[in-house]
Amino acid sequence: MGMIGGGPGAFIGAVHRIAANMDGEIELIAGAFSSDAEKSKKAGEELRLDPKRVYASYKEMIRRESELPVNERIDFVSIVTPNHLHFEPAKLALENGFHVVLDKPMTFDLEQAKKLHEIAKKSQLFFCLTHTYTGYPMVKEARCQVMSGQFGSIRKIYVEYPQGWLSSFLEGSDQKQAAWRTDPSRSGIAGAMGDIGTHAFNLAEYVSGLQVSKLCADINIVVENRKLDDDGAVLLKFNNGSSGVLFATQIAAGEENNVKIRVYGETGGIEWKQEDANTLLVKWLDKPTEIWRAGTGYLSSFASHNTRTPAGHPEGYLEAFANHYRNFALCVQATMNGEQPKPEWLDFPGMEDGVRGMAFIENVIKSGQSKDKWVDLKI
Amino acid sequence: MGMIGGGPGAFIGAVHRIAANMDGEIELIAGAFSSDAEKSKKAGEELRLDPKRVYASYKEMIRRESELPVNERIDFVSIVTPNHLHFEPAKLALENGFHVVLDKPMTFDLEQAKKLHEIAKKSQLFFCLTHTYTGYPMVKEARCQVMSGQFGSIRKIYVEYPQGWLSSFLEGSDQKQAAWRTDPSRSGIAGAMGDIGTHAFNLAEYVSGLQVSKLCADINIVVENRKLDDDGAVLLKFNNGSSGVLFATQIAAGEENNVKIRVYGETGGIEWKQEDANTLLVKWLDKPTEIWRAGTGYLSSFASHNTRTPAGHPEGYLEAFANHYRNFALCVQATMNGEQPKPEWLDFPGMEDGVRGMAFIENVIKSGQSKDKWVDLKI
Amino acid sequence: MGMIGGGPGAFIGAVHRIAANMDGEIELIAGAFSSDAEKSKKAGEELRLDPKRVYASYKEMIRRESELPVNERIDFVSIVTPNHLHFEPAKLALENGFHVVLDKPMTFDLEQAKKLHEIAKKSQLFFCLTHTYTGYPMVKEARCQVMSGQFGSIRKIYVEYPQGWLSSFLEGSDQKQAAWRTDPSRSGIAGAMGDIGTHAFNLAEYVSGLQVSKLCADINIVVENRKLDDDGAVLLKFNNGSSGVLFATQIAAGEENNVKIRVYGETGGIEWKQEDANTLLVKWLDKPTEIWRAGTGYLSSFASHNTRTPAGHPEGYLEAFANHYRNFALCVQATMNGEQPKPEWLDFPGMEDGVRGMAFIENVIKSGQSKDKWVDLKI
Amino acid sequence: MGMIGGGPGAFIGAVHRIAANMDGEIELIAGAFSSDAEKSKKAGEELRLDPKRVYASYKEMIRRESELPVNERIDFVSIVTPNHLHFEPAKLALENGFHVVLDKPMTFDLEQAKKLHEIAKKSQLFFCLTHTYTGYPMVKEARCQVMSGQFGSIRKIYVEYPQGWLSSFLEGSDQKQAAWRTDPSRSGIAGAMGDIGTHAFNLAEYVSGLQVSKLCADINIVVENRKLDDDGAVLLKFNNGSSGVLFATQIAAGEENNVKIRVYGETGGIEWKQEDANTLLVKWLDKPTEIWRAGTGYLSSFASHNTRTPAGHPEGYLEAFANHYRNFALCVQATMNGEQPKPEWLDFPGMEDGVRGMAFIENVIKSGQSKDKWVDLKI
């Protein structure tokens, strides 16, 4: 694996490295960690990489790695830069035959996302968009149960993502994470909706197996002088006629990262929240709620495949992240060995999720500005 | 106390009786329990009332009780009939000098509510609308803390009320509770929004001390052949410029009666849910969340006044209900004794809450039918 | 009902009155509220009793009430005095034909308990010992499930009762509750073990249907200058060969009244805690844990009979207490009507529980002083 | 790092590898994965090790690695064999200058543990015993708070460790984990007490900063035909005069791995349970309980140093395990660089914990067989 971005001070770069590293299947051997050649070099040293494989730019990395013999070169790149620096490196990597792992949201805007999709389709390479939350085993279990039809047709979906860390004007101080996320030139047209709203959106579509067809959004900039939305709530209509509510906020003072989803069908439903990630509540109209737990013997193959420890040994965010990397790597490896990836391995977020996420961003911001109630989710 | 409605098979009538009875301050001595004279008589017998005080109709009760000497007659009436039978008996009672306890929502429509408000204002009698959830001590504590300004100005309010009991077409079978609640001729223009949405609305305004100024609603009839909404979600704007989300549903299969509110200000906020009613979570931007508990020594006078037991001896729904009755009775009694009721006693829902609740119903249904995004909450 | 004790400042007296009053089946009509005639009179006034039925002593009450015509006199007495004042009034009441409700623990010592048991047996009157926690519907559900054999034979029982309110030398200040509970002349040989240890003991035997046969106790006085134990932990052996742990403490600073029981059989078990009283966790070796909830349609008749509200409308401590009163009253009433009480009504703690509780107290204190490991629970 | 044990089918070997690997500081480069040379080779292949570094026995590994130049050889060994195979390889490694990570319990018996301690002391090498639970950041926070004296002197400690996986005679089937843990020739004199009781014991001493001085145990073999204890409960006395309760069981059907500790001082205390590992409850006599959370800005340096993600991104068992490895590696590295390890790095379980754990095992089993109540914890 070669990494693009993720130099000193980056939060998500470190997370990607731990996740990739966890299962011993993936090795970081190259990197262009910063657009500043010196910083990239320094990061490479700290990561104890071979200095020859630490590059001054992603372009150099892709060019030089392409020139190496196939069995020496990196198999894929992992791109962990801010949103405005997603499209170009991903495009270049795909065009040069490298599989791609990309942090979400997919691109700076929907236009780019659709172009990248085209490129990826032609390339037949693997592409993973790291929507962490669908990597949790109990989220996969939730999807399996919902898709099995055991709850009848789905009627209502609530998904929420409250954070509080942007309750003050943090970008006014020297806070790198806050700075780029609230800057339209790096983040795109959306703040909270792009940063965490897309996670909520992806989670809702993944677990329900449905697609949002219309939305009606209240999008707010709550903290004075902020340039992008830090709060929003969205009424949803899904393609089976059901409805839902999505909210995502970064000004809920006192909240950490409290992702939660509830899906209800005719006879029951599910509830999952990240704070208690190893638990899935399964609810029934006329029976006791059941507490399904990660690591037990009664789970679906999709859940079981994505746990490393027995029940009662909690796994968390890094393991969920690592599941995407592991499944992606298993697919890459299988293909390199001329084998067919298993369905459980193929279950990581990809191009379709990415394009839909970008469409969500564009349409939710548009709806926020509209006086009409419903806006179609157009791609 | 004299009761109007609440005969055999009534859920809320029995709740009112237990609540009124709990603290030994109020005695049920008269009743017109059904529009069927025979049923009323039978209910009176079961309740071991003096047969002379069991009446064939509420009109008879109010007339005859009025004729009794002041120290013998009932001091107030408690009206627990379906919505279409709220206005007339309440009006008659007020006009004849009886204080009134009335089950929510206040009336059949907003027009009636405003009229009743006028009548009540002239009468100078006490009026209590039993929005149960604001009777919980930790809800009162939440209001005190929010109103104290300790969280700075309020920025976001989430209130939710999921139930699942109307997931099937229950009104098609012989279920009395489902029947009238889904019948426009008895319930009014709203189903779930009137039955439980008004509770959520009242809770949001009570705890925040704010008023909803605009709303944008998605109102649904999910179960086939149902005549009134059984599900809805509403984007809210408050009169301080902040925003919120309210949802109430009766088709969330597997949910019981899961009322929950979260309010966030600049530096922190609160979370309360009825399932864990004796707990109030107090959240802070940079400090640990605190678990405030009913019955402890550190609570506000408004919370303390409304508990009967020390910490760790949970009180519940009936006690919350009883708090409204007790406070109402303390006010009636104080006035009868020529004394000034304490602020803690006056803290029960009244006419203003009732009129606002009816305005919510009318406007939320209107918004649900509108293509425009925002509807002003007009009274 | 006539009450003995429970004058001003009494905690448990007020609880008994609310509990008795709750369902409208029982009326407080007489009382000897204090050994001080003046205080008793004043309490009667506050409770708005007929002054003729307010007595200067329990002896007077029992004598004078006995002289009233049967249909005028009280049917039973409720005794809510400190432990050293349980035996004499209970004895007198039973000997004069009054049914008895008595606060726990049953008597000052085991000797008295056995005598009272003899008297009660002869009298054929009803006797209720208010071990509150077995009044909770989900505790009754737990017992039903355990007794059904669905978990196989019972292997392990954990019961705990941590409180923190006696963490300081409260009896040194003017705290009435602390004063008598830590005073050997009023409380007996045990402090915490008598006050709350007996509750835990009773709960364990009730839910499991087993009896403690041996115990090994570590009994401590933690707070300096205290005269009775404020902390203890006990290893238990049950009469089916299984084992358990009981602990009760009043010096766990920060704990409220956190009663909890866990019972495990060969294939599963149950967990209940008072903080979440409307929930019963049912655990299985190879299946998801189930969340059984009060007020639902799938419960046993013993649980259903003891709820007043539908699921999601939490009932609490006062309702659990009221269940004992209601069941006791239903039995008294049935017998007065020449009818057979239902099994659900007869399910309240009685003489056997009381005697076993006193035996627990005597043996647990004895074990605490012994150098031998195991002490037989002798009665 | 070179690993001893941890071949195919081993649970804890895989956990050690993930933990060691997680932070990219430690690389697995050698191994003797099985006493069967062929199996060891195969495991090495699967782990993609250089075949030259995969050895037929631990003796061969230590000898051959010792012969390599210092900068090529492994720095330490990680021993993940069953208990009877701890002492010899650990001894040999230490005697040959390799630092050691060893799975708990330390050795087969106390005698071996004391010998190993002597050897380690002489060697001046680092030794880490992987008592996982003290690797959790909120356990470290708990210790910091308790040791700070903010709760006054410690009065009561409850520690529990219920599991249910040995509820049936699993060792009768082909279950590798059950087989060695219930076999006296591989596990030692204790089953549950050695496997999980030692964890509970270590956790209690670590968080409280106290030492157990006396104990009184009830040790049981619950499942028929089992050869070692599968259940036990222990009354504890600590060296400051306070008392506690420890229980550990593997027959609590329906429990997973539910480690929990509560420590109470004069004015408050803490509660932590692994199911909610990122939370520490801090309790106070007269104030609301506080919810301290991993990843927040207000934690001690000991907690902060041991987290990788911001608040709300849960870390779990593998991260706790990895913390021990990382701290151990940081100490090894610092020493190799001639630097002083930081106090936060030195905070991993070592020889003293190991010897005390073995003393617990010997004395708890002895107490279980004794008729006397208290047994001194002798080393």
Side-chain angles (χ1 to χ4, degrees), chain C residues 112-143:
Chain C
Q112 285 185 349
K114 290 195 283 187
K115 274 191 210 159
L116 198 58
H117 192 184
E118 287 309 307
I119 294 164
K121 268 195 275 189
K122 277 181 220 151
S123 75
Q124 298 207 299
L125 293 160
F126 286 105
F127 175 87
C128 174
L129 192 75
T130 53
H131 273 304
T132 328
Y133 303 103
T134 59
Y136 276 105
M138 298 319 280
V139 170
K140 293 180 184 289
E141 180 66 26
R143 176 177 160 90

Side-chain angles (χ1 to χ4, degrees), chain B residues 136-142 144-145 277-280 282 291-307 309-311 344, chain C residues 256, chain D residues 286-288:
Chain B
Y136 276 104
M138 299 318 282
V139 170
K140 293 181 183 289
E141 180 66 28
C144 288
Q145 295 201 15
N278 294 282
T279 293
L280 177 70
V282 179
I291 305 175
W292 291 59
R293 294 275 297 159
T296 55
Y298 50 68
L299 296 176
S300 67
S301 65
F302 284 80
S304 296
H305 169 66
N306 287 284
T307 53
T309 51
E344 289 84 357
Chain C
E256 298 174 351
Chain D
D286 299 314
K287 290 190 299 185

Side-chain angles (χ1 to χ4, degrees), chain C residues 156 255 264 283 367 373, chain D residues 231 255 264 283 367 373:
Chain C
K156 197 82 199 182
E255 293 295 340
Y264 299 95
K283 305 185 180 191
S367 171
K373 197 196 254 174
Chain D
D231 172 77
E255 293 295 341
Y264 299 95
K283 305 185 180 192
S367 171
K373 197 195 254 175

Side-chain angles (χ1 to χ4, degrees), chain A residues 189-358:
Chain A
I189 58 169
M193 284 296 121
D195 190 20
I196 61 173
T198 48
H199 275 310
F201 175 84
N202 181 253
L203 190 59
E205 293 202 341
Y206 177 78
V207 171
S208 69
L210 300 174
Q211 292 193 330
V212 172
S213 52
K214 288 184 193 185
L215 46 79
C216 167
D218 177 28
I219 304 296
N220 302 297
I221 296 176
V222 172
V223 173
E224 221 176 336
N225 296 322
R226 185 155 287 159
K227 290 181 187 154
L228 289 174
D229 59 286
D230 48 19
D231 172 76
V234 194
L235 305 174
L236 305 171
K237 294 287 183 190
F238 289 88
N239 58 345
N240 75 336
S242 68
S243 63
V245 181
L246 177 156
F247 70 75
T249 187
Q250 298 181 310
I251 55 87
E255 293 294 341
E256 297 173 352
N257 193 54
N258 210 346
V259 195
K260 177 176 168 180
I261 185 163
R262 286 171 281 182
V263 176
Y264 299 95
E266 294 161 291
T267 59
I270 62 89
E271 176 176 330
W272 179 85
K273 58 180 172 181
Q274 202 216 199
E275 274 194 2
D276 191 13
N278 294 282
T279 293
L280 175 71
L281 294 182
V282 178
K283 304 185 180 192
W284 298 101
L285 194 47
D286 299 315
K287 288 189 301 182
T289 293
E290 296 157 0
I291 305 176
W292 291 59
R293 295 274 297 159
T296 54
Y298 50 69
L299 297 175
S300 67
S301 64
F302 284 81
S304 296
H305 169 66
N306 286 284
T307 53
R308 289 157 190 80
T309 50
H313 300 73
E315 299 191 39
Y317 178 83
L318 294 170
E319 285 81 7
F321 219 108
N323 288 337
H324 286 334
Y325 265 97
R326 189 166 70 115
N327 287 326
F328 171 82
L330 286 168
C331 288
V332 168
Q333 205 163 32
T335 311
M336 284 164 67
N337 298 342
E339 291 161 10
Q340 191 63 26
K342 292 193 191 167
E344 289 84 356
W345 305 352
L346 288 162
D347 182 31
F348 57 80
M351 278 287 161
E352 300 262 351
D353 302 87
V355 172
R356 290 195 62 76
M358 293 311 301

Side-chain angles (χ1 to χ4, degrees), chain C residues 155-156 158 160 162 164-168 216-220 222-224 231-237 243-245 247-249 251-255 258 260 262 264-269 271 273 283-285 289 366-374, chain D residues 155-156 158 160 162 164-168 216-220 222-224 231-237 243-245 247-249 251-255 258 260 262 264-269 271 273 283-285 289 366-374:
Chain C
R155 289 171 161 183
K156 197 82 199 182
Y158 301 111
E160 60 185 63
W165 71 291
L166 287 178
S167 289
S168 64
C216 166
D218 176 28
I219 304 294
N220 302 297
V222 172
V223 173
E224 221 175 335
D231 172 76
V234 193
L235 306 174
L236 305 171
K237 295 286 182 188
S243 63
V245 181
F247 72 74
T249 187
I251 55 87
E255 293 295 340
N258 210 346
K260 176 176 170 182
R262 288 171 279 183
Y264 299 95
E266 294 161 290
T267 59
E271 176 176 330
K273 58 179 172 182
K283 305 185 180 191
W284 299 101
L285 193 48
T289 293
K366 182 176 146 197
S367 171
Q369 294 157 349
S370 168
K371 289 191 170 177
D372 293 332
K373 197 196 254 174
W374 294 106
Chain D
R155 288 170 161 186
K156 198 81 198 182
Y158 301 111
E160 60 187 61
W165 70 292
L166 288 178
S167 288
S168 64
C216 167
D218 177 27
I219 305 295
N220 302 298
V222 173
V223 173
E224 220 175 335
D231 172 77
V234 193
L235 306 174
L236 305 170
K237 294 289 182 189
S243 63
V245 181
F247 70 74
T249 188
I251 55 87
E255 293 295 341
N258 210 346
K260 177 176 170 181
R262 288 172 279 182
Y264 299 95
E266 293 161 292
T267 60
E271 176 176 330
K273 58 180 173 182
K283 305 185 180 192
W284 297 102
L285 194 48
T289 293
K366 183 175 146 198
S367 171
Q369 293 158 347
S370 167
K371 289 189 171 177
D372 293 333
K373 197 195 254 175
W374 294 106

Side-chain angles (χ1 to χ4, degrees), chain C residues 265-293:
Chain C
E266 294 161 290
T267 59
I270 61 90
E271 176 176 330
W272 178 86
K273 58 179 172 182
Q274 202 215 198
E275 275 195 1
D276 191 13
N278 295 281
T279 292
L280 176 70
L281 294 182
V282 178
K283 305 185 180 191
W284 299 101
L285 193 48
D286 298 315
K287 289 190 300 184
T289 293
E290 297 157 1
I291 306 176
W292 291 60
R293 294 273 298 159

Side-chain angles (χ1 to χ4, degrees), chain D residues 58-59 62 79 84-93 112:
Chain D
Y58 74 85
K59 287 180 188 169
I62 289 172
I79 303 170
H84 68 305
L85 298 172
H86 283 188
F87 177 71
E88 289 295 344
K91 178 172 178 289
L92 197 65
Q112 285 185 349

